[in-house]
Amino acid sequence: VSSFRAEIAEQPEVVARLLDHADAVLPIGAAIKAANPVGVLIAARGSSDNAAVFAKYVIQQRNRLPVALAAPSLFTHYAAPPRLAGYCVVGVSQSGASPDVTAVIAEARAQGSITVAITNHPDSELAAAADFVIQLRAGSELSIPASKTYTASLVAIALLSVAIDTDPAFEAALHLVPEAMRQAMGCEDQARQMAGLLAGPRLAVIGRGFNLSTAEELALKLTETAYLLARAWSAADFLHGPIAVAGDGLPLVVVEAQGPTSAYTRMVATRLLRAGAEVFQIADGTQPLGQVAASITLSTGLPEVLTPLSLAVAAQLLSYHVAVRRGLDPDKPRALKKVTRTR
Amino acid sequence: VSSFRAEIAEQPEVVARLLDHADAVLPIGAAIKAANPVGVLIAARGSSDNAAVFAKYVIQQRNRLPVALAAPSLFTHYAAPPRLAGYCVVGVSQSGASPDVTAVIAEARAQGSITVAITNHPDSELAAAADFVIQLRAGSELSIPASKTYTASLVAIALLSVAIDTDPAFEAALHLVPEAMRQAMGCEDQARQMAGLLAGPRLAVIGRGFNLSTAEELALKLTETAYLLARAWSAADFLHGPIAVAGDGLPLVVVEAQGPTSAYTRMVATRLLRAGAEVFQIADGTQPLGQVAASITLSTGLPEVLTPLSLAVAAQLLSYHVAVRRGLDPDKPRALKKVTRTR
C-alpha cells in the first residue's frame, strides 16, 4: 500500500484534529494583533512555499496585511537581510529542518520581529528559533511528497488569519473542511480517468486568486511524483506571454472555484478550447466547462477561500494516479529524501 | 530581419541612453528616502514580473527594504487590497496599459503610499496613476517578446536603488553594462550551437540569487518564442522536490555568475551531471563546468548584482536561435499581441 495514497486519505481526520486544537492559535493571533505589524514575511520551500502562496491571498484579503515571500539566500549566502522591525515573520516547514528557513526566522527574531513557526515537528530547529509555534499535529508523514502536511499548513494559516481578525462565519466554514475533503476523496474515479489521459511529458496548470496555490501544488506534485514537467501560471500571467506555448498537444489543467476570479479563469479556458487545446478541469462549485477532455468536479459548498483544501485533495489523487499509470512509485521519487536541508 | 534580433542588439545603446538620464531618478530616490518606507510592493506581469524578481534581490540587499510582489487580483476582482500606508509601491510595465498593474498603483496612491511607474510609455495610464515615472527611453519595441524593455527595466530598478542609497562604486559599475552587453552579443555562435542541442519540448532552468531573475526570464522567453515548456527554479527550491523530474532526457540550463551563491548552484549542477543529466551552462565570471553539453561563458567583470544584464542578452540570443531552429517567427508568437490588458 502506498503511503502517499494512505496519507491523502488521512486528511479529513488530520484537519479535524488540527481544528480541535484551534484555541492554541488564539494567543498567537492576539500577540500579532497587539504588535500591529506593517506586513508579513513568509519563508518556505517546496510544498510549504505553495502554502505560502495561499497565505499571500488569505492574509492580504482577510487581515489586509501586505505579504512578502522571503528570498532566503539574502539571509544565508549574501548575509544581507532586509530590515524586519515591525514585521511578523512566519516560517513554514513540515520538517522544520531546513537551515535557510530557520535562518530567516532567527534573523527576524534577532531584529525584534514577531516570529511564528508552522511545522509538524515542534522539536525542530525552526520551532526553537521562533517566538510561537503552530504545530500541525499531522502525525508521521512517510511519503516523500507531502500531502497531509500541505493541507494542514493551509489550515494552520487559516487559523492564524482568523485568530488575528475573528469572524464566526469563517470559523464555522473551517469546520466544513473535513467533510469537503471526504467528498473530494469520493472523486477518485474521475481522477483515475483523467490520469489515463495525461501521458506526459509536459503539462500546464492555470489558476487564479486563492487557487493559484492549488495550481502550483498540482504542478509540483506532478513534477515530483510523476516526472511530468508541469508549470502553473495565474490566468492573467499566462496571457502575458506563456499562452504561446498552448498547442502541439500540450494538456492544460484549469483549477477553479466559485468566486470573483472564476469568470476570468473560464474566459481563458474558453479561449484555449476554441483554439483547439486539450483542456482539463478541476473545480469546486462551478458549472462544468463544455468540451473539456476530462474533469474532476466537486460541489462542497466551501467558501472560495477554503476551496484550496478540497481541491488539493483532488490534485493529490490526480498526481498519485498519473504516477501509478506511469509505473512509478509515488512514495519515493528518485533523487529525493524526506527531509531536504538547503542553505 | 527579425525585430526581436534587432532589438536584442540595440540594448547596449538603450542602456547607455538610460544611464545618460540617470539624474532624472535622483529626486525619486530622495523622495523615497525621505518617506522612509516600511517596505516596497511591486506590481508587474510577464517579463516585467521577472524584472520585479531582480528588484526583490537588489532592493532588499542594497536598501534593506523588504520587497513583496503584488497579487493584483486582490485589487481588482476581490476588491480587498492590503493596507499600504507607509509603503513604496512600484508598477513595472513596458506598455503601461495593463489595467491590473495600474489598479495596484492607483489604490496605493489613494491610500497615501509613494508610487512609482517604470514604463516605456510616459503617456500611459500607469504613468498617469503614479506620483513618479521612470521612463525607459528604449524606443519602440516592435517584437512581441520583450528584450530591450526588460533590460531597461532592470537598469531603471538599479538606478532607483542607487538613488535611494548612493554608492559611487555601484554607479561606476552601471557604466560598464553597455560594454558587457556588447561582449554578450559576441557570444552568438555559442548561443547558436547550444540552440542546436535544445530540440524541445521541455527544458528546466536553475538559477539563484540575483540571477533567479535571469533563469525566470530565459524560461519565459523560450516558452513564448520557441514554444518549449520551460520552467525555472531556484537551485534551493529545485532540491525540495522538482529535482525528481531530472532524467528522461530533460535538458537543464544552469545560469550563474561569480558571487556568494555560485558554489551552491554549481553543487546542484555537479550533482545533476553525476546523475547523467544533460546540463547546459550560461555563466558570467565563473569557471567552465566540466562535462556540460554546451555553454555560453562570459567574463564581463560586472559585479554579480549587474550580471542579470549581461546574462539576459545571452538568454535572449539563445531563445532567438531555438525559435529560428524550430522554424518559428520569434517576433510574433502565436496567440499574442504586443499589449496585453489583464484585469
Side-chain angles (χ1 to χ4, degrees):
Chain A
V1 158
S2 156
S3 53
F4 183 51
R5 175 67 184 71
E7 286 158 5
I8 293 170
E10 271 178 51
Q11 292 175 105
E13 147 193 2
V14 168
V15 170
R17 182 164 57 228
L18 188 48
L19 293 175
D20 282 346
H21 290 84
D23 285 358
V25 185
L26 294 177
I28 308 175
I32 294 171
K33 187 80 177 172
N36 192 21
V38 296
V40 175
L41 180 77
I42 306 181
R45 295 283 187 198
S47 284
S48 297
D49 206 28
N50 299 335
V53 171
F54 174 73
K56 181 170 162 176
Y57 285 82
V58 175
I59 293 175
Q60 293 196 115
Q61 191 239 15
R62 288 199 73 260
N63 310 106
R64 300 290 173 101
L65 293 169
V67 174
L69 306 190
S73 66
L74 293 171
F75 294 75
T76 54
H77 296 281
Y78 292 102
R83 287 188 298 265
L84 294 169
Y87 275 76
C88 169
V89 181
V90 180
V92 187
S93 168
Q94 66 84 16
S95 71
S98 197
D100 46 4
V101 175
T102 301
V104 173
I105 295 299
E107 169 67 25
R109 193 174 185 182
Q111 287 193 28
S113 310
I114 186 165
T115 54
V116 181
I118 296 178
T119 180
N120 203 31
H121 288 270
D123 54 348
S124 61
E125 288 178 18
L126 178 67
D131 297 305
F132 297 101
V133 180
I134 304 179
Q135 190 180 341
L136 296 179
R137 302 174 195 276
S140 294
E141 191 172 58
L142 299 178
S143 159
I144 291 176
S147 57
K148 60 182 181 175
T149 56
Y150 172 69
T151 49
S153 297
L154 299 194
V155 171
I157 288 161
L159 288 173
L160 184 60
S161 173
V162 80
I164 298 171
D165 292 301
T166 56
D167 173 356
F170 187 84
E171 277 168 50
L174 270 170
H175 286 273
L176 304 174
V177 169
E179 184 53 34
M181 286 177 145
R182 273 181 213 108
Q183 189 192 120
M185 287 302 300
C187 294
E188 187 156 14
D189 282 346
Q190 288 180 304
R192 197 183 287 110
Q193 280 189 343
M194 192 183 288
L197 300 172
L198 296 175
R202 310 191 301 166
L203 187 117
V205 190
I206 311 296
R208 209 174 171 197
F210 292 102
N211 280 294
L212 181 57
S213 56
T214 314
E216 291 282 5
E217 180 63 4
L218 173 60
L220 175 58
K221 218 61 17 180
L222 284 168
T223 298
E224 59 182 355
T225 64
Y227 310 161
L228 303 192
L229 191 72
R231 164 117 204 214
W233 283 284
S234 105
D237 279 322
F238 190 61
L239 296 183
H240 281 267
I243 192 173
V245 80
D248 311 322
L250 176 71
L252 296 121
V253 179
V254 173
V255 179
E256 51 144 13
Q258 193 172 29
T261 59
S262 167
Y264 200 90
T265 306
R266 293 170 79 86
M267 177 273 286
V268 175
T270 302
R271 185 171 157 188
L272 291 167
L273 282 164
R274 282 199 190 127
E278 195 180 24
V279 177
F280 297 81
Q281 182 188 22
I282 300 180
D284 190 347
T286 62
Q287 291 299 308
L289 275 165
Q291 301 179 289
V292 294
S295 59
I296 304 173
T297 47
L298 311 178
S299 184
T300 64
L302 288 179
E304 186 198 13
V305 55
L306 296 178
T307 55
L309 287 153
S310 53
L311 290 170
V313 175
Q316 293 157 355
L317 288 172
L318 177 60
S319 303
Y320 171 76
H321 284 289
V322 175
V324 168
R325 183 126 190 150
R326 287 166 65 90
L328 303 172
D329 177 358
D331 299 0
K332 294 184 179 59
R334 60 189 174 195
L336 289 178
K337 292 179 183 169
K338 182 61 185 167
V339 178
T340 304
R341 295 171 212 274
T342 50
R343 278 194 62 242
Chain B
V1 159
S2 155
S3 53
F4 183 50
R5 176 66 184 72
E7 287 158 6
I8 294 170
E10 271 178 50
Q11 293 175 105
E13 149 193 359
V14 168
V15 170
R17 184 164 57 229
L18 188 48
L19 292 176
D20 282 346
H21 291 85
D23 285 358
V25 185
L26 294 177
I28 309 175
I32 294 171
K33 187 80 177 171
N36 192 21
V38 295
V40 175
L41 180 78
I42 307 181
R45 294 283 186 198
S47 284
S48 298
D49 207 27
N50 298 335
V53 171
F54 174 73
K56 183 169 161 177
Y57 285 82
V58 175
I59 293 175
Q60 293 195 116
Q61 191 239 13
R62 288 199 72 260
N63 310 106
R64 301 290 173 101
L65 293 169
V67 174
L69 306 189
S73 66
L74 293 172
F75 295 75
T76 55
H77 296 281
Y78 292 102
R83 288 188 299 266
L84 294 169
Y87 275 77
C88 170
V89 181
V90 180
V92 187
S93 168
Q94 66 83 17
S95 72
S98 197
D100 47 4
V101 175
T102 301
V104 174
I105 294 299
E107 169 67 24
R109 194 174 184 182
Q111 287 193 28
S113 310
I114 187 164
T115 54
V116 181
I118 296 178
T119 180
N120 202 31
H121 288 270
D123 54 348
S124 61
E125 288 178 18
L126 177 66
D131 297 307
F132 297 101
V133 180
I134 304 178
Q135 191 180 340
L136 296 180
R137 302 175 195 275
S140 294
E141 190 172 59
L142 300 179
S143 158
I144 291 176
S147 57
K148 61 182 181 175
T149 56
Y150 172 69
T151 49
S153 298
L154 299 195
V155 171
I157 288 161
L159 288 173
L160 184 61
S161 174
V162 79
I164 298 171
D165 292 301
T166 56
D167 173 355
F170 187 83
E171 278 169 50
L174 270 170
H175 286 274
L176 304 175
V177 169
E179 183 52 35
M181 286 177 146
R182 275 183 211 106
Q183 187 192 121
M185 287 303 299
C187 294
E188 188 156 14
D189 281 346
Q190 287 180 305
R192 197 183 287 110
Q193 279 189 344
M194 192 184 289
L197 300 172
L198 296 175
R202 311 190 300 166
L203 187 118
V205 191
I206 311 296
R208 209 174 171 196
F210 291 102
N211 280 295
L212 181 58
S213 56
T214 314
E216 292 282 4
E217 179 63 4
L218 174 61
L220 175 59
K221 217 64 15 180
L222 284 168
T223 298
E224 59 181 356
T225 64
Y227 310 160
L228 303 192
L229 190 72
R231 163 116 205 215
W233 283 283
S234 104
D237 279 323
F238 190 61
L239 296 184
H240 281 266
I243 192 172
V245 80
D248 311 323
L250 175 71
L252 296 121
V253 180
V254 173
V255 179
E256 51 144 13
Q258 192 171 28
T261 60
S262 167
Y264 200 89
T265 306
R266 293 170 80 87
M267 176 274 285
V268 175
T270 303
R271 184 170 158 188
L272 291 166
L273 282 164
R274 281 200 191 126
E278 194 180 26
V279 176
F280 298 81
Q281 182 188 20
I282 299 180
D284 190 347
T286 62
Q287 291 300 308
L289 274 166
Q291 301 177 289
V292 294
S295 60
I296 304 173
T297 46
L298 311 178
S299 184
T300 64
L302 289 178
E304 185 198 12
V305 54
L306 296 177
T307 55
L309 287 154
S310 52
L311 290 170
V313 175
Q316 293 158 354
L317 288 172
L318 177 62
S319 303
Y320 171 76
H321 284 288
V322 175
V324 168
R325 183 125 190 152
R326 286 166 65 89
L328 303 170
D329 178 358
D331 299 1
K332 294 184 179 61
R334 60 189 175 196
L336 289 178
K337 292 178 181 167
K338 182 62 185 168
V339 179
T340 304
R341 296 175 212 283
T342 49
R343 277 193 64 245

